[in-house]
PDB file of all heavy atoms in Angstrom:
ATOM      1  N   TYR A  46      -1.231  34.304   4.387  1.00 53.00           N
ATOM      2  CA  TYR A  46      -0.822  32.912   4.604  1.00 53.00           C
ATOM      3  C   TYR A  46      -1.693  31.953   3.797  1.00 53.00           C
ATOM      4  O   TYR A  46      -1.193  31.106   3.053  1.00 53.00           O
ATOM      5  CB  TYR A  46      -0.897  32.560   6.084  1.00 53.00           C
ATOM      6  CG  TYR A  46      -0.732  31.080   6.357  1.00 53.00           C
ATOM      7  CD1 TYR A  46       0.517  30.472   6.274  1.00 53.00           C
ATOM      8  CD2 TYR A  46      -1.830  30.291   6.667  1.00 53.00           C
ATOM      9  CE1 TYR A  46       0.670  29.112   6.496  1.00 53.00           C
ATOM     10  CE2 TYR A  46      -1.692  28.936   6.895  1.00 53.00           C
ATOM     11  CZ  TYR A  46      -0.434  28.356   6.809  1.00 53.00           C
ATOM     12  OH  TYR A  46      -0.305  27.010   7.028  1.00 53.00           O
ATOM     13  N   PHE A  47      -3.011  32.111   3.935  1.00 57.00           N
ATOM     14  CA  PHE A  47      -3.907  31.180   3.250  1.00 57.00           C
ATOM     15  C   PHE A  47      -3.886  31.376   1.741  1.00 57.00           C
ATOM     16  O   PHE A  47      -4.139  30.448   0.972  1.00 57.00           O
ATOM     17  CB  PHE A  47      -5.338  31.322   3.786  1.00 57.00           C
ATOM     18  CG  PHE A  47      -5.538  30.735   5.154  1.00 57.00           C
ATOM     19  CD1 PHE A  47      -5.723  31.550   6.256  1.00 57.00           C
ATOM     20  CD2 PHE A  47      -5.493  29.357   5.338  1.00 57.00           C
ATOM     21  CE1 PHE A  47      -5.879  31.011   7.515  1.00 57.00           C
ATOM     22  CE2 PHE A  47      -5.663  28.807   6.606  1.00 57.00           C
ATOM     23  CZ  PHE A  47      -5.855  29.638   7.693  1.00 57.00           C
ATOM     24  N   THR A  48      -3.559  32.584   1.300  1.00 56.00           N
ATOM     25  CA  THR A  48      -3.468  32.838  -0.138  1.00 56.00           C
ATOM     26  C   THR A  48      -2.220  32.209  -0.742  1.00 56.00           C
ATOM     27  O   THR A  48      -2.257  31.642  -1.832  1.00 56.00           O
ATOM     28  CB  THR A  48      -3.456  34.355  -0.405  1.00 56.00           C
ATOM     29  OG1 THR A  48      -4.649  34.936   0.126  1.00 56.00           O
ATOM     30  CG2 THR A  48      -3.384  34.639  -1.917  1.00 56.00           C
ATOM     31  N   LEU A  49      -1.107  32.307  -0.033  1.00 54.00           N
ATOM     32  CA  LEU A  49       0.174  31.827  -0.570  1.00 54.00           C
ATOM     33  C   LEU A  49       0.542  30.426  -0.113  1.00 54.00           C
ATOM     34  O   LEU A  49       1.551  29.892  -0.562  1.00 54.00           O
ATOM     35  CB  LEU A  49       1.291  32.790  -0.151  1.00 54.00           C
ATOM     36  CG  LEU A  49       1.159  34.237  -0.637  1.00 54.00           C
ATOM     37  CD1 LEU A  49       2.340  35.062  -0.156  1.00 54.00           C
ATOM     38  CD2 LEU A  49       1.065  34.286  -2.161  1.00 54.00           C
ATOM     39  N   ARG A  50      -0.264  29.856   0.773  1.00 53.00           N
ATOM     40  CA  ARG A  50       0.093  28.547   1.312  1.00 53.00           C
ATOM     41  C   ARG A  50       0.267  27.515   0.208  1.00 53.00           C
ATOM     42  O   ARG A  50       1.218  26.739   0.205  1.00 53.00           O
ATOM     43  CB  ARG A  50      -0.962  28.064   2.304  1.00 53.00           C
ATOM     44  CG  ARG A  50      -0.613  26.728   2.943  1.00 53.00           C
ATOM     45  CD  ARG A  50      -1.640  26.329   3.972  1.00 53.00           C
ATOM     46  NE  ARG A  50      -2.950  26.147   3.359  1.00 53.00           N
ATOM     47  CZ  ARG A  50      -4.025  25.703   4.033  1.00 53.00           C
ATOM     48  NH1 ARG A  50      -3.916  25.441   5.323  1.00 53.00           N
ATOM     49  NH2 ARG A  50      -5.181  25.554   3.416  1.00 53.00           N
ATOM     50  N   GLY A  51      -0.625  27.503  -0.775  1.00 51.00           N
ATOM     51  CA  GLY A  51      -0.528  26.531  -1.868  1.00 51.00           C
ATOM     52  C   GLY A  51       0.772  26.665  -2.624  1.00 51.00           C
ATOM     53  O   GLY A  51       1.443  25.683  -2.923  1.00 51.00           O
ATOM     54  N   THR A  52       1.148  27.921  -2.921  1.00 53.00           N
ATOM     55  CA  THR A  52       2.397  28.153  -3.659  1.00 53.00           C
ATOM     56  C   THR A  52       3.601  27.721  -2.845  1.00 53.00           C
ATOM     57  O   THR A  52       4.535  27.097  -3.367  1.00 53.00           O
ATOM     58  CB  THR A  52       2.527  29.649  -4.015  1.00 53.00           C
ATOM     59  OG1 THR A  52       1.391  30.037  -4.770  1.00 53.00           O
ATOM     60  CG2 THR A  52       3.795  29.896  -4.816  1.00 53.00           C
ATOM     61  N   ILE A  53       3.592  28.056  -1.557  1.00 44.00           N
ATOM     62  CA  ILE A  53       4.721  27.680  -0.693  1.00 44.00           C
ATOM     63  C   ILE A  53       4.866  26.172  -0.626  1.00 44.00           C
ATOM     64  O   ILE A  53       5.965  25.625  -0.740  1.00 44.00           O
ATOM     65  CB  ILE A  53       4.505  28.260   0.728  1.00 44.00           C
ATOM     66  CG1 ILE A  53       4.580  29.795   0.670  1.00 44.00           C
ATOM     67  CG2 ILE A  53       5.557  27.712   1.693  1.00 44.00           C
ATOM     68  CD1 ILE A  53       4.203  30.464   1.979  1.00 44.00           C
ATOM     69  N   VAL A  54       3.741  25.475  -0.433  1.00 43.00           N
ATOM     70  CA  VAL A  54       3.781  24.015  -0.344  1.00 43.00           C
ATOM     71  C   VAL A  54       4.267  23.408  -1.648  1.00 43.00           C
ATOM     72  O   VAL A  54       5.086  22.486  -1.671  1.00 43.00           O
ATOM     73  CB  VAL A  54       2.388  23.465   0.024  1.00 43.00           C
ATOM     74  CG1 VAL A  54       2.358  21.949  -0.122  1.00 43.00           C
ATOM     75  CG2 VAL A  54       2.023  23.871   1.440  1.00 43.00           C
ATOM     76  N   GLN A  55       3.763  23.943  -2.776  1.00 49.00           N
ATOM     77  CA  GLN A  55       4.161  23.405  -4.081  1.00 49.00           C
ATOM     78  C   GLN A  55       5.654  23.545  -4.321  1.00 49.00           C
ATOM     79  O   GLN A  55       6.279  22.696  -4.942  1.00 49.00           O
ATOM     80  CB  GLN A  55       3.382  24.121  -5.190  1.00 49.00           C
ATOM     81  CG  GLN A  55       1.916  23.721  -5.253  1.00 49.00           C
ATOM     82  CD  GLN A  55       1.170  24.509  -6.314  1.00 49.00           C
ATOM     83  OE1 GLN A  55       1.713  25.399  -6.948  1.00 49.00           O
ATOM     84  NE2 GLN A  55      -0.094  24.168  -6.498  1.00 49.00           N
ATOM     85  N   ARG A  56       6.213  24.640  -3.805  1.00 50.00           N
ATOM     86  CA  ARG A  56       7.646  24.866  -4.024  1.00 50.00           C
ATOM     87  C   ARG A  56       8.513  24.091  -3.042  1.00 50.00           C
ATOM     88  O   ARG A  56       9.603  23.652  -3.385  1.00 50.00           O
ATOM     89  CB  ARG A  56       7.965  26.364  -3.910  1.00 50.00           C
ATOM     90  CG  ARG A  56       7.359  27.175  -5.050  1.00 50.00           C
ATOM     91  CD  ARG A  56       7.839  28.594  -5.018  1.00 50.00           C
ATOM     92  NE  ARG A  56       7.338  29.354  -6.145  1.00 50.00           N
ATOM     93  CZ  ARG A  56       7.677  30.620  -6.406  1.00 50.00           C
ATOM     94  NH1 ARG A  56       8.519  31.258  -5.617  1.00 50.00           N
ATOM     95  NH2 ARG A  56       7.167  31.236  -7.459  1.00 50.00           N
ATOM     96  N   MET A  57       8.031  23.940  -1.824  1.00 41.00           N
ATOM     97  CA  MET A  57       8.851  23.301  -0.797  1.00 41.00           C
ATOM     98  C   MET A  57       8.795  21.787  -0.863  1.00 41.00           C
ATOM     99  O   MET A  57       9.810  21.122  -0.696  1.00 41.00           O
ATOM    100  CB  MET A  57       8.394  23.761   0.591  1.00 41.00           C
ATOM    101  CG  MET A  57       8.739  25.209   0.896  1.00 41.00           C
ATOM    102  SD  MET A  57      10.523  25.507   0.858  1.00 41.00           S
ATOM    103  CE  MET A  57      11.047  24.498   2.244  1.00 41.00           C
ATOM    104  N   VAL A  58       7.612  21.216  -1.124  1.00 42.00           N
ATOM    105  CA  VAL A  58       7.466  19.757  -1.096  1.00 42.00           C
ATOM    106  C   VAL A  58       8.376  19.058  -2.091  1.00 42.00           C
ATOM    107  O   VAL A  58       9.052  18.084  -1.745  1.00 42.00           O
ATOM    108  CB  VAL A  58       6.000  19.355  -1.318  1.00 42.00           C
ATOM    109  CG1 VAL A  58       5.869  17.864  -1.582  1.00 42.00           C
ATOM    110  CG2 VAL A  58       5.174  19.741  -0.092  1.00 42.00           C
ATOM    111  N   PRO A  59       8.467  19.503  -3.369  1.00 43.00           N
ATOM    112  CA  PRO A  59       9.391  18.826  -4.292  1.00 43.00           C
ATOM    113  C   PRO A  59      10.825  18.841  -3.796  1.00 43.00           C
ATOM    114  O   PRO A  59      11.553  17.879  -3.957  1.00 43.00           O
ATOM    115  CB  PRO A  59       9.234  19.633  -5.587  1.00 43.00           C
ATOM    116  CG  PRO A  59       7.883  20.239  -5.498  1.00 43.00           C
ATOM    117  CD  PRO A  59       7.691  20.545  -4.047  1.00 43.00           C
TER     118      PRO A  59
END
Side-chain angles (χ1 to χ4, degrees):
Y46 170 75
F47 286 109
T48 301
L49 299 181
R50 182 177 62 175
T52 303
I53 293 173
V54 170
Q55 288 177 356
R56 292 188 176 184
M57 289 299 295
V58 168

